Amino acid sequence: MKIFRSHILICGGTACRASGSVAVRQALNHEIARRGITNEAQVVETGCNGFCAAGPVITIYPEGTFYQYVTVDDVPEIIEEHIIKGRPVERLMYREPETEKPIPHVKDIPFFGKQKLIVLKNRGIIDAEKIDEYIARDGYLGVAKALTEMTPDEVIEEVKKSGIRGRGGAGFPAGLKWTFARRAKGDVKYMLCNADEGDPGAFMDRSVLEADPHAVLEGLIIGAYAIGAHQSYIYCRAEYPLAIRRLNVAIAQAKDYGLLGEDILGSGFDLNIDIYQGAGAFVCGEETALMASIEGRRGMPRPRPPFPANQGLWDKPSVLNNVETLANIPQIILNGGDWYASIGNERCKGTKVFALTGDVNNVGLVEVPMGTPIGDIIFDIGGGIQGGKKFKAAQLGGPSGGCIPAEGLNTPTDYEEITKMGAIMGSGGLIVMDEDTCMVDTARFFMEFCQEESCGKCTLGREGTKRMLEILTGICNSQGKEGDIELLEDLAATIKDGALCGLGQTAPNPVLSTIRYFRDEYEAHIYDKKCPAAVCSAFFKSPCQHACPVEMDVPAYIALVRAGRVDDAYKILKRTNPFPGVCGRVCPQFCANKCRRGQLDEPMAIAWLKRYITDNGSRPNVEPVKVTREEKIAIIGSGPAGLTAAQDLAKRGYKVEVFEDLPKAGGMMRYGIPEYRLPREVLDIEIGDIKALGVEIKINTRVGKDISWDELKNTYDHIVIAIGAHKSWKLDIEGEDIDGVIGAVEFLRAVNLGKTIDVGNHVAIIGGGNSAIDAARTSLRNGAGEVTILYRRERKDMPAQAVEIDAALEEGVNIEYLVAPTRIIAEGGKIKGIECKKMALGEFDRSGRRRPSFIDGSEFTLDVDTVIPAISQGADTSFIPEDAEISIKRDRFEVVGRNGTMTTADGIFVAGDAASGPATVVEAISQGHKAARDLDSYIRGKNNEPPYKAPSEERIDIPFEVDEETEEQPRGSMPDLPVTERAGNFKEVEKGYTKEIAYKEACRCLRCDAEIE
Amino acid sequence: MQITVDGKELEFNPGQTIYEVAKENNIHIPVLCHYEQVKPIGACRVCVVEVERARTLIPSCCTPAEDGMVVYTNTNRVLKSRKLTVELLISMGHHNCMTCESNRDCVLQDLAYEMGIEMPRFEEPKERKPIEDANSMIIRDMNKCVLCGLCVRVCQEIQVNNILDYSGRGPRSTVGPAFNMSLEEAGCKFCGACIQACPVGALSFKQGRFGGRTWEVQKVQTTCPHCGVGCQIELWVKDGKIKRVYGVEEDNTENKGQICVKSRFGLDFVHSPERLTRPLIKKDGKFKEASWDEALDLVVTNFRKIKKEYGSDALGGIASSKSTNEECYLFQKFIRSCLGTNNVDFCTRFCHTPSAVALSRAFGGGAMTNSMRLVEKADVVLIAGLNFTEMCSTIGALTKHLVQFGNLKLIVVDPRGVEIADYAKVWLRPNIGTDIAWANGMMNVIINEDLYDHDFVEKRTEKFNELKKLVSKYTPEKVEEITGIPKEEIIETARLYAKADKASVLYGMGVTQHIYGTDNVSALCNLALLTGNVGKEGTGVNTIAKQNNGQGAGDMGCLPPIYPGGQPISDPKVNKKFEEAWGVKLSMKPGVTESDMVINKGKIKGLYVVGGNPMRSGPNLNNIRKVLEDMTFIVVQDMFLSETAQVADVVLPACSFAEKDGTFTNTARLIQRVRKAIDPIGESKPDWEIICELSKRMGYEMSYTHPREIMNEIASLVPPYGGVSYERLEDGGLRWPCPNKDHPGTLYLWKDKFNTKTGKGFFFPADYNPPAELPDKSYPFVFTTGKDLCHLHTGSYTRHSAALLELSPEDLLAINPLDAQGLDVKNGDKVKVSSRRGEIKINVRITDRVPKGTVFSTLHSSEIPVNVLTIDTLDPLAKTPELKICAVNIKAV
């Protein structure tokens, strides 16, 4: 055998071939020949290497260097630098997602490093079309051992001892199945291989067949010997041409070597293996349907009993195992059942291969020991969610499986545990879904698949799935109605219980599991006519508008910016949002998160365009509204929720008075958000517009102090509570009550009231939200020498907006991750320092993030002068008398009904953070609208009046102008103040778009609101 | 073995399903897709039950009961599931019970009621599928289909026609012919088993559409008048019309629910506008309607005149296999006692008489030895010269079923590729007319290889040595030379037949319509005797008569030398018995056969034909026409103006089977009731009434008020029918011999001994001889004839069925592609076929189912008198003409 200095292994799996590995292989060979080093370097095409996301991939041995996304153009460099000069090409290496650090060696890449390979042990290493390479890695030793040293019963005993369960999905113990077939009477028996992999998103069987076909043949030979079969069929779908080709090559080679056919290895045992190509019907993965298909009949399942082990193919005893199960067998025979049983957990032995796909960074094939938590596969091996989005659910087991939500990330990959979660192991399809996935739509998708693929034989499988799909389609088309969820549950239960075959019995799983974990999404579709993930397009014109809590007509005002009609655009803004100037600066942009442009390059800069409009357009005129109604309304709190409610109620003709404790109106907009983000004149103007309607704001009037609750109740017909959440939560650690510890909201309020706060030299801020960042940056501006944010998780887990974090870092704020305070150290009534502990991330919590826990002995102390807890805040509800019968829980007002705004006290409403807990300005505005609407309906309902009808609005034509072609182009960047000019002052950091940038940015809009006729 | 169902402990037999056990014990479990005769598939999920320790609900129809199983049939879980399932089934399509033919006879309707479903929770589909009703027989309304798959299963499993199957997947699943073809395009045989199996209104009778609903009709069980199987059918009658026809699903029938297109849709001939409704008298060559008195008086006058002038033996009568036993009995009684001659014969003369002769001389009786369902008991069946699936469709289907789903092996011997040959383990394709040779060849091998049944041969046969000597000449090599069958196939077939535990021979007119037809049958008898395959269930030599009462007409003595029950007229004791019974002096002079009446010009001057049609079925028709035209007086009694009726002087309108009571004896000796379902059409009368009337007018009083009385007389005079009475026939047929009231009938003949002088079976060794006329230069093709699925009895009924005409409108000349090429003709081209005796013009159908050099035609179209070509050379013993072979020339027109 010829020895080469270098082996260049290039992946020849279907995925890498699709991304161009064939051309790369040819280029490598060509370049090696051109350089005259054919005696030194050899190119080997292997089967799937598993890391399909990065294809084409190559690994160069003996170094074990891994290159990804290799193109034909990279080839000369690889040969020149790596092969000839011995200098690995860094730019082609895999990079650690967090640090962007290149990882030179394949074994250090987490995707590979955390796997345990049995089934896939030869992947990416051998040439699948060379039997010698298989044999060189212990191939056919299992057959040799079984046929020459063991009786069939001993083989079965070993398989039983290994505890291996069918990897096709049902998890039936393979050894037991073999025993039944062995015991069955009959001189003709069949050993069958199920390679009819049909789950969308599952490709492990194909990959095994492509990468290591002999392993499957070996498993079949051992199985056939064990049960006494002399004929074997591999039922492989015709859509797998490469797998079929490699199987054919492998069968021919094995025959050549006397490993198949008559008298295998001189043992006297005969076996013939044929490939049967299936036409790709999903139901043919069902064993009785598969056998019918081999018999040449329509692939329809039949009831069992009789079980195939007794009456299978052509009514003869038959065993059907899937590819993965069979590929395990040679290892079990070779290394013993005990060895195999030592891998995995209590109930489930060995490893399981998963096809990891969907919104995960490292799409590919992974093999892990049974019992590995799902979260580990997704986040460690899979590298987490693409684009920094949030994990929503994982669909396990294909269309017959179920969705596992964040709270199930700790579920071990174990047949029973997964079933408990409402999913199934199935053949190991693992589809990861991020926050942009609509779970109803997902259920609909899988149900559509199942009903399409139902064979049509049994009523429940055929009609039941059809009806479920019909209901789901209705819900997704905004035609959902009360009772739909219950009918779905009814159908699902009946189908699960009564359908003929596995396909039918499992078809309801996706629906049941999504209802179980995401019932609120179903309800949002049916009752609120909303698709929270902005996927079901029947609910909206555009996803941005749908995602916006106040449903601002984003495409319209962007189109008007493009057309240069800024004044009209301003009018559009004001129709839904009384604070567009504020939102243009501080909105976290739920809209941009769903922006379709984001799928191409970056989402639209929606907020910045909004700000551009308010900066440059002329403000629409506001006329006072006449009071036409008798009812007098009191609103407590002049934040975004209170003022919005006030505006809406005033427009409806109510007399509205707003009570504000602080000296100026604006609530958190004024006393929470620092001025460098939101200049006060912007706020004043927008509040002015509300006042201009006739709304009266009584400042410096604290309810419960300046006016009693009872008086308020007696004077006004109705009350809307919109007091916000102005009370910081405590850290609940020793030393918290000491002077120098100040809550973030209290700190920001004081600063915004113009009070002088001496924060000392070193400030420690606890938390990771926007308040923490605001407090940090404000501290710096207040003269702190050093500001350190202590956060107990990692940056990716921080709730604060990324731009804010970046700005803070720019300005010199330190952020310590995985750190939590344990004690505030005082000396002489003053803070001396803060004792912290390092944190380690453990299991996943309900939010889908790993739960931090203290590392013992990791204590350290920071010398600080001020500690600002910014972990969360609640409403100060002390003004509500106990006999008011208003229910308050965890610093929040309880509301009545789904998405309601009325408190538990009749006729008293609540809006904003006081009800929802700390949220955003735009959500508070939305709540304000809602409270006003609800209150108005409440009043009209009591009076038997017809519902309110808004006066007709001025008609504004929205131009429809799009570019013929769309080119990738990043979002227009925001001109801002250099860091040097920000220091020590509260000047607005962001300067606003120029006309040119705004126009260019507006042109990026894809106008997905357009209805195509 | 015991299971507990709803708390009751029930015994069961292994293999029984939960449903079967429950049903047996009167525990109700609803079913939809279930039908005893086909395999359960558990598709509809209506029959689900709860079984302890089972993960899911269990379909009771297809789950075997297991010892100790605990089953609940009506828990909430079960009822909820069933109800939802039925809701889903209802809302699958559009069900309009208002005008549905299955209203009140609909499983879905029953289920909806049982489950209390006012209105399903799901909407009907928006689209309606078009109703398929292009043919005149089956309406397919897939809007009503519930996909139970029963139509598919009966088509595939019972009828083995494989026309229907599932197509499409998931919600687009449907049942029907492949590729959305119509039934006609798909080659459907229109047995209509699918309609009968359909539990809802998806498949219905077009003929009966809006004709009467289940509770408005009168349901009459009777015997099908078409072929010799004697299927039991149920007629749905309203306003004097047959609306629908169902097969009777009783175990004591030959057909067990199955019938063929002729029965299902072909009984519309009863209501054909061409039915004769008044007697006709020919004046100046033209028929004129007349009164019964006029017509009968004219007959009486003429018969009397001839009798007086030429003597009784110048008169003759031809009976029909289509009449009832009672009528056949009366007919021969009339001829013998009233006309005073034994010149009585019936149409079997032209087809199956060689069987009667050969079987009688070998075994002592001329009937089929076993029952029609013998195939169920046989291991090997040899089918010779018999287009089984078209001739006897229901039993043909049963045979296909047993081959496909059981262990039956078939040997088919036929020069033509008849459908049953597709199911054969061995298909021997001999040169036409060489049956004796291959049979002798098989026996040669059997004796040489010592495969014969020594014990049987020794104890129960005579003349073995003669056989041994003769067949020793027929070495496989020599047989190959004569028959063209490769010698290996002869050997293989011989072994297959001889080694079978139970081997049976079934044969048809391909064997008998030859000048050596009797010897042909003898050769088959020899084969059976040699291997001991007589006198056991599932064995025998079984002649398959094509006609509904061919056996009965013979049993009733419509043959010149015998009285009813095969009692020879030459026996003085017998003669005396009948003279006493009938009260007249009876002639002991042998009578003449039909051949001597209509082929060989003889002494017959006056002829009385009931239902027969020699002018179509006979050979060399030009000659028969001359013979008939030469006669003095012919009276024909028929339902239609047949070719023979057209040459008659008087035509008497007869009733159909549906208009009278009586019995038929099927080809396997099974006597079954024919029941009156409607009143006679027009002035037509049942044959028995006409005969009685005529006899009375002739001066011999025959007065019966009902055929029941005639049967009582038959029972008293005919030993094998001795135990037969209408009372006994109410509960199903009786298979003769049934000598007394307590005898249960006889399933198969010759169990312990034969009815010969010695009680043993006789070998009648026969040598091969060539046919009467072989092809030569002038007439280079062999011409052969037969029937097709849709027509029989010379088409005298079936050509008056609109449905059957639609399926098989005309006779076609089947010709091998190579011959077609030589003649330069294409499918559908018209050719002139001529023999030494006549010529016809006929359209060509090219098929390799006929061998090169042989052409084949059916003989049903009145426009094409196929039999002008055939030869009238007769079998010397049976006097049967060699209708199966003659030489013809073919020219493209």
Side-chain angles (χ1 to χ4, degrees), chain A residues 216-485:
Chain A
V216 180
L217 299 187
E218 196 178 348
L220 275 175
I221 299 169
I222 295 168
Y225 173 72
I227 67 163
H230 300 287
Q231 174 64 45
S232 177
Y233 292 98
I234 301 173
Y235 187 90
C236 185
R237 49 180 49 222
E239 292 103 310
Y240 284 181
L242 185 62
I244 290 167
R245 194 187 85 196
R246 293 203 169 140
L247 274 174
N248 276 319
V249 170
I251 290 171
Q253 289 173 346
K255 277 186 182 160
D256 251 18
Y257 277 48
L259 293 162
L260 259 187
E262 286 177 14
D263 193 17
I264 296 172
L265 295 174
S267 66
F269 176 69
D270 309 332
L271 179 69
N272 182 49
I273 301 182
D274 285 313
I275 299 170
Y276 192 97
Q277 293 191 35
F282 182 62
V283 74
C284 285
E286 185 68 32
E287 63 179 353
T288 53
L290 182 148
M291 290 174 197
S293 178
I294 295 180
E295 290 170 14
R297 296 185 289 119
R298 180 180 159 93
M300 291 205 291
R302 62 155 174 82
R304 293 172 301 189
F307 288 95
N310 292 313
Q311 275 180 55
L313 186 62
W314 285 300
D315 287 341
K316 306 291 181 197
S318 308
V319 161
L320 178 74
N321 286 133
N322 100 320
V323 169
E324 190 185 335
T325 313
L326 289 168
N328 272 301
I329 299 294
Q331 302 295 311
I332 290 171
I333 297 301
L334 198 56
N335 302 319
D338 290 334
W339 161 80
Y340 194 83
S342 70
I343 303 158
N345 70 8
E346 280 293 288
R347 272 184 301 242
C348 303
K349 306 300 183 189
T351 58
K352 177 78 197 89
V353 181
F354 289 94
L356 188 58
T357 57
D359 305 320
V360 67
N361 278 312
N362 303 336
V363 167
L365 271 194
V366 304
E367 183 174 359
V368 292
M370 283 279 186
T372 305
I374 292 167
D376 288 6
I377 300 174
I378 297 170
F379 289 95
D380 296 346
I381 300 172
I385 308 303
Q386 279 176 9
K389 295 245 177 182
K390 268 195 217 136
F391 170 83
K392 187 163 190 177
Q395 173 78 12
L396 206 63
S400 330
C403 286
I404 292 185
E407 64 189 83
L409 283 170
N410 297 315
T411 310
T413 44
D414 163 317
Y415 291 97
E416 281 69 28
E417 291 298 321
I418 289 173
T419 306
K420 265 189 225 158
M421 291 300 291
I424 61 168
M425 179 85 84
S427 56
L430 181 52
I431 302 172
V432 179
M433 293 176 277
D434 69 12
E435 55 185 300
D436 291 343
T437 315
C438 169
M439 299 317 291
V440 186
D441 182 62
T442 301
R444 187 200 57 75
F445 170 83
F446 285 120
M447 189 48 72
E448 185 171 10
F449 180 89
C450 285
Q451 74 117 31
E452 283 287 323
E453 292 294 339
S454 127
C455 75
K457 184 173 178 178
C458 85
T459 308
L460 295 173
R462 180 186 68 242
E463 301 303 317
T465 56
K466 182 172 93 185
R467 294 305 180 176
M468 286 188 76
L469 175 64
E470 212 169 79
I471 298 165
L472 289 165
T473 308
I475 296 175
C476 289
N477 282 339
S478 94
Q479 284 146 6
K481 52 188 183 302
E482 199 173 341
D484 276 357
I485 300 176

Side-chain angles (χ1 to χ4, degrees), chain A residues 695-906:
Chain A
V695 171
E696 207 177 305
I697 302 175
K698 302 194 168 181
I699 54 166
N700 293 321
T701 312
R702 184 177 176 90
V703 177
K705 192 179 110 200
D706 303 309
I707 174 168
S708 77
W709 174 255
D710 286 341
E711 191 184 342
L712 199 69
K713 269 195 82 175
N714 293 335
T715 317
Y716 297 90
D717 297 292
H718 295 281
I719 300 171
V720 177
I721 302 167
I723 57 170
H726 287 255
K727 195 175 80 181
S728 286
W729 280 12
K730 300 219 160 182
L731 290 171
D732 207 12
I733 58 173
E734 189 191 326
E736 199 170 0
D737 298 324
I738 210 159
D739 203 20
V741 179
I742 178 168
V745 279
E746 288 79 5
F747 169 69
L748 291 168
R749 181 161 68 230
V751 172
N752 286 315
L753 280 165
K755 292 185 184 159
T756 325
I757 305 279
D758 180 11
V759 291
N761 184 43
H762 192 176
V763 181
I765 292 162
I766 322 296
N770 277 329
S771 295
I773 301 291
D774 286 345
R777 294 175 74 186
T778 302
S779 298
L780 275 183
R781 284 166 173 77
N782 248 25
E786 198 180 347
V787 176
T788 303
I789 294 177
L790 303 174
Y791 184 54
R792 59 192 186 127
R793 303 177 194 254
E794 293 178 313
R795 169 163 179 172
K796 65 174 165 40
D797 302 319
M798 285 177 84
Q801 280 177 259
V803 282
E804 293 296 314
I805 301 170
D806 289 340
L809 290 169
E810 258 176 44
E811 290 171 6
V813 172
N814 308 314
I815 307 180
E816 294 287 339
Y817 300 106
L818 292 171
V819 166
T822 48
R823 184 162 70 98
I824 295 165
I825 305 162
E827 208 176 79
K830 287 196 89 180
I831 293 177
K832 184 167 176 288
I834 183 162
E835 187 189 86
C836 306
K837 263 189 181 177
K838 296 225 160 124
M839 309 294 281
L841 294 176
E843 290 200 329
F844 295 89
D845 65 13
R846 294 181 68 86
S847 72
R849 296 176 297 178
R850 284 188 186 278
R851 180 173 290 125
S853 55
F854 293 112
I855 299 174
D856 284 342
S858 67
E859 294 85 351
F860 65 96
T861 307
L862 288 177
D863 292 335
V864 294
D865 307 300
T866 304
V867 171
I868 304 180
I871 52 168
S872 192
Q873 58 261 18
D876 179 359
T877 58
S878 53
F879 69 98
I880 303 280
E882 273 184 19
D883 60 0
E885 287 179 352
I886 295 177
S887 165
I888 296 155
K889 279 190 185 152
R890 279 179 62 94
D891 290 347
R892 290 182 202 176
F893 288 85
E894 233 191 311
V895 293
V896 180
R898 188 187 148 71
N899 285 347
T901 50
M902 191 161 83
T903 63
T904 50
D906 195 46

Side-chain angles (χ1 to χ4, degrees), chain B residues 683-747:
Chain B
E683 292 179 16
S684 67
K685 290 177 195 284
D687 290 324
W688 67 271
E689 275 189 42
I690 303 173
I691 295 165
C692 287
E693 185 63 31
L694 196 58
S695 188
K696 200 162 91 187
R697 285 171 195 246
M698 286 287 290
Y700 179 74
E701 188 75 22
M702 283 206 264
S703 54
Y704 302 95
T705 57
H706 190 269
R708 177 187 296 114
E709 297 161 8
I710 308 172
M711 180 50 82
N712 290 342
E713 182 175 323
I714 294 168
S716 70
L717 290 169
V718 182
Y721 281 66
V724 179
S725 69
Y726 277 25
E727 288 71 36
R728 287 190 75 187
L729 293 176
E730 272 311 298
D731 301 329
L734 283 169
R735 209 180 294 271
W736 68 256
C738 175
N740 59 59
K741 296 282 173 218
D742 303 318
H743 195 281
T746 307
L747 190 61

